[in-house]
Amino acid sequence: MLHLSVSIFSGLSSETWWRRVRLRLTIFYLVIAFVLLFISGTGHARLLSEVGKTFGGFFWAIDTDKQVVVVSAPPQFDASVSSLTNNDHIIKVQLITRNNKQTSYEGLSALQDAYQKASPGDEITYSIADNNSHPRLVSLPAQTFTFDMWWQNYGLGLIAGLSWLLVGIILLATAKEWAGAVEGITLLPPAMLFLLLSLIHISEPTRQAEI
């Protein structure tokens, strides 16, 4: 009888302890989730504020070496996406308007300056260099940044991140033991990756951003 009472008491104590730990973990998870949502929301709000503005048809950023690099581009844009093994960077931009007026821009603000003067359909030529070859020229017409472009490049990632985050919270809040809690916590890193995609790549397609 004594042994049975001790076992019941031990079981109740263990269950009470787990409930307290689970509550604390859930609160901690929710705090991180709210911070992620705030940061992600800020990045996506910046992107959406660019809808309707002129840009070059690809996404770019300024890396730690203070070089303008390509983050994401269509197949017809002959420049490699920035990586550890690739050093393609844009050193000069030439804008040719429809009335055949040509203007060149250099420096870190070259793309931003060109996009402010460009209209959809204007030809923009980029001088792209790396450490192993002479600069090459790549041309693309200026385009209008649309909601569909945001959705295809970032919107789907946002939905995926929110889904991972929600499932993780549910698993953690309803976990009856450590195994379930661990499953919920392990969903946090992929949720972070998807939610912060707008900041990892670039904040605005028409303005400079650092990565």
Side-chain angles (χ1 to χ4, degrees):
M1 186 69 176
L2 179 61
H3 177 70
L4 179 60
S5 299
V6 171
S7 298
I8 294 175
F9 178 76
S10 177
L12 291 174
S13 299
S14 177
E15 183 178 353
T16 301
W17 172 83
W18 169 243
R19 287 180 178 177
R20 291 177 179 175
V21 172
R22 183 180 63 187
L23 177 61
R24 292 174 182 175
L25 287 174
T26 303
I27 293 174
F28 177 72
Y29 193 105
L30 287 172
V31 170
I32 295 179
F34 282 124
V35 172
L36 284 174
L37 290 174
F38 175 77
I39 296 175
S40 177
T42 301
H44 284 285
R46 287 181 176 179
L47 281 168
L48 290 172
S49 70
E50 298 298 307
V51 171
K53 297 182 180 180
T54 302
F55 83 124
F58 65 94
F59 295 89
W60 58 282
I62 297 176
D63 65 10
T64 54
D65 295 325
K66 299 301 180 182
Q67 295 178 332
V68 179
V69 296
V70 177
V71 175
S72 177
Q76 63 268 29
F77 191 77
D78 185 23
S80 301
V81 172
S82 176
S83 67
L84 294 176
T85 58
N86 173 61
N87 193 43
D88 281 1
H89 55 281
I90 299 172
I91 59 175
K92 186 178 180 180
V93 179
Q94 184 179 54
L95 170 64
I96 305 176
T97 62
R98 293 183 178 180
N99 56 10
N100 208 32
K101 179 181 179 181
Q102 299 184 15
T103 309
S104 296
Y105 303 89
E106 296 185 45
L108 296 181
S109 63
L111 274 74
Q112 182 180 355
D113 294 339
Y115 295 161
Q116 289 178 348
K117 301 294 184 180
S119 299
D122 289 348
E123 193 72 17
I124 302 179
T125 301
Y126 305 88
S127 296
I128 301 175
D130 58 37
N131 291 336
N132 302 316
S133 64
H134 295 292
R136 62 186 185 278
L137 301 180
V138 180
S139 296
L140 270 182
Q143 302 178 28
T144 300
F145 185 62
T146 65
F147 179 83
D148 286 341
M149 291 179 181
W150 169 83
W151 177 255
Q152 293 174 10
N153 287 277
Y154 298 103
L156 295 175
L158 175 62
I159 298 300
L162 292 174
S163 300
W164 283 91
L165 198 63
L166 180 61
V167 172
I169 292 174
I170 293 175
L171 288 175
L172 181 58
T174 59
K176 296 182 178 180
E177 55 184 12
W178 270 108
V182 170
E183 288 181 3
I185 294 174
T186 54
L187 296 182
L188 188 58
M192 292 176 63
L193 176 62
F194 283 116
L195 288 174
L196 299 181
L197 187 64
S198 63
L199 302 181
I200 293 174
H201 277 189
I202 186 170
S203 295
E204 297 121 310
T206 65
R207 302 180 188 177
Q208 63 185 36
E210 294 189 2
I211 60 172

